[in-house]
Amino acid sequence: MLNKIIEVEDLAKRYPPDVMAVDGVSFSIDRGQVFSLLGPNGAGKTTTVEILEGLRVPTRGHIRVLDTDTTKNYARIRGKVGILPQNFEPFDNLKPVEAVEYWAKLFDMRKTRTDITELLDIVGLSERKNLMSKKLSGGEKRKLGIALSLINDPELLFLDEPTTGLDPKARRDLWKLIEEIRGRGTTVFLTTHYLDEAEKLSDDVAIMHRGNIIARGSPSELISRFGKTTVVVLEGVGMNGLTEITRRGIKATEANGDVMVPVANPSEMRTIFAKLSSIELPVKDMYTRRQTLEDVFLGLVGTKMDEGVLQE
């Protein structure tokens, strides 16, 4: 069994007249991992995924999925791949048990009611299987979409922004489900613009921006390589506090009224605390925290991301 489930070399997609949605990206994905393609809206994530799914033809590049050239013979692997598209809409006038049964028939698969109930149980919908799909919550509809994508017990599962627009509890429920799917041996290709989601779920992350992959590695590797070891947070200090801090030669940034002071070496922590304590600041609280993928993204792109939109 090949260890690399996806191999991409110099992938590009150009839309007329001159839009380069994907501009020469290369990467490979190990079998059994959760791989996250992370980036803002318009970064090229969905275009990349749709090419890997055989839905779009690349302008150039070499793509192999499950050791198959997807531009020539995608039908060979279609039964081994599951897909949840970004804008999935369930069958509102069918019950979940009926939707799964109908989906199985579309793919010429025989599924007993027991098989269907077991699949709905995997995604946490067995107790809602006889409720009209239009009455499901947003998170439950995404779970139904994942159930449909698992109908063929795929080796590779594409989830394109599966938690967009969901409330925090629904997002956490889907995170747990994704972790369980990975635990069953399925490789998961996740696209997301949620940095905490990528950090929580991923074995491997590629950060995409303007059609290019600008960083790649595990969450801990990216934080170690592009971030700082620790950040001192001064809560509620604001821009005036930032001015006072930087005026004394201390590097810092401000976000949402809080000031962050990065500390590259833990041995400098005592000195930094002493300097900050000597400045008259309206501090609500002062504490340290480990940097996150959000800090890495901010450092690489130069701006924060909120619901997939860059905060220019």
Side-chain angles (χ1 to χ4, degrees), residues 28-44:
S28 62
I29 301 174
D30 290 337
R31 188 179 293 271
Q33 290 191 334
V34 173
F35 173 85
S36 288
L37 191 59
L38 171 66
N41 298 337

Side-chain angles (χ1 to χ4, degrees), residues 17 49 65 69-70 73 80 100 103 114-115 153 190 201 210-211 220 225 230 232 237 239 263 305 309-310:
V49 169
V65 178
D69 185 339
T70 60
N73 192 16
K80 301 178 181 180
V100 174
W103 198 249
T114 300
D115 294 333
D153 193 20
L190 173 70
L201 297 175
R210 295 177 179 172
S220 60
R225 192 185 321 154
T230 307
V232 178
V237 168
M239 289 301 298
V263 184
M305 180 169 54
V309 179
L310 295 180

